[in-house]
Amino acid sequence: MTGVVRKVIIIGSGPAGYTAGLYSARALLEPLMFAGYMSGGQLMLTSDIENFPGYPQGIGGPEMMMELREQAERFGLEVQDKNVERVDLNSRPYGVWVEGEEYRAESIIICTGAESIWLGVEGEEAQKGRGISTCATCDGAFFKDEEVIVVGGGDSAMEEATFLTRFAKKVTIVHRRDVFRASKVMYERAVNHEKIEIKTFKNVSSWLSDENGLTGAVLEDSRDGSKENIDCTGAFIAIGHKPITKFLEGQLETDSSGYILHKENTMTSKEGVFAAGDVVDTRYRQAITAAGMGCQAAIDAEKWLESQH
Ligand code: NAP
């Protein structure tokens, strides 16, 4: 085992994790965070955050994450950019394994967020990174003056499509219904863009490619099953996310989709184990709500630790 038993270990480093780190550091709990090899979470892949109060001109995702981290570190949050391999939530103090080293903590705050879902249709695996992506911010610039498609009808799809107009000649949004989950403002920004076309009632049934990479997709009509081909050299899948909970190996109660369940305030099914942000949240999933929940989890952990002594 490595060192002393910590009062709090925070796993994950999006807005929920850094806010939990800030609050628990200010409560003198000397928190240790395992931020992951790619610290900062999904917002590291977001170009502009326009809806976080306090930034009238907006702010870049990576920039905000750096500032959140700096703020929490100023009050004593210790951050290690490493992944947690597994945890033991069956005996206290709880165990956390990182690069083969064992750490122990009286309480744990899980803020590991969520990751993109892929379509899983024929031809996808081979074209990942050769034309098919889940991150326009990361890969959009590869498609200058080319035709790309974006799959999905939520805010992510609208955001990706609008961002891709900076590079692509044409962006087609492919959605399986004619009702959009996206917020009105983001839908309208996309639908009114001269480079964006929207195809409704279409599912991608397979991807088409040649030796140079992606060349198109077969679209199947969700009403009558008819098929058509669409040409594209890039495709961005924006159909939602799934929670990152594999390292828990089923030790906490979750819903049927794997999202961690809260039992009392932000406490999970294990005493002293708290969860915040997208790993819990199936409804709001915003940077501001994740940050708010990270604050709640830190306060709940502090009060729970007090009650133990
Ligand atoms: P989402 O709102 O859950 O939308 C997912 C979309 O993908 C839906 O249109 C869904 O269609 C479609 N879909 C799901 N599975 C599919 C499949 N197998 N095949 C084809 N289409 C499929 O997810 P999201 O857009 O990632 O947004 C998640 C949350 O993050 C939301 O709360 C959103 O507001 C937030 N967000 C906010 C911003 C921002 O404010 N800047 C940006 C991005 C995301 P159906 O509608 O038919 O189910």
Side-chain angles (χ1 to χ4, degrees), residues 51 153-156 159 175-177 181 239 241 284 286:
N51 53 8
D155 279 334
S156 297
E159 186 174 65
H175 182 36
R176 63 184 176 184
R177 298 190 292 157
R181 288 177 199 265
I239 60 168
H241 296 86
Y284 301 105
Q286 306 295 306

Side-chain angles (χ1 to χ4, degrees), residues 67-81:
E67 289 189 359
L68 286 181
R69 177 168 176 158
E70 195 184 318
Q71 189 177 359
E73 284 179 331
R74 180 156 77 89
F75 292 100
L77 173 68
E78 183 186 337
V79 183
Q80 295 193 23
D81 292 317

Side-chain angles (χ1 to χ4, degrees), residues 2 5-6 8 17-18 25 43 53 93 123 146 160 243 262 267 296 300:
T2 310
V5 174
R6 308 294 295 229
V8 183
Y18 286 134
L43 289 184
E146 297 184 25
E160 301 270 274
H262 284 153
M267 188 136 81
Q296 290 173 304
D300 290 342

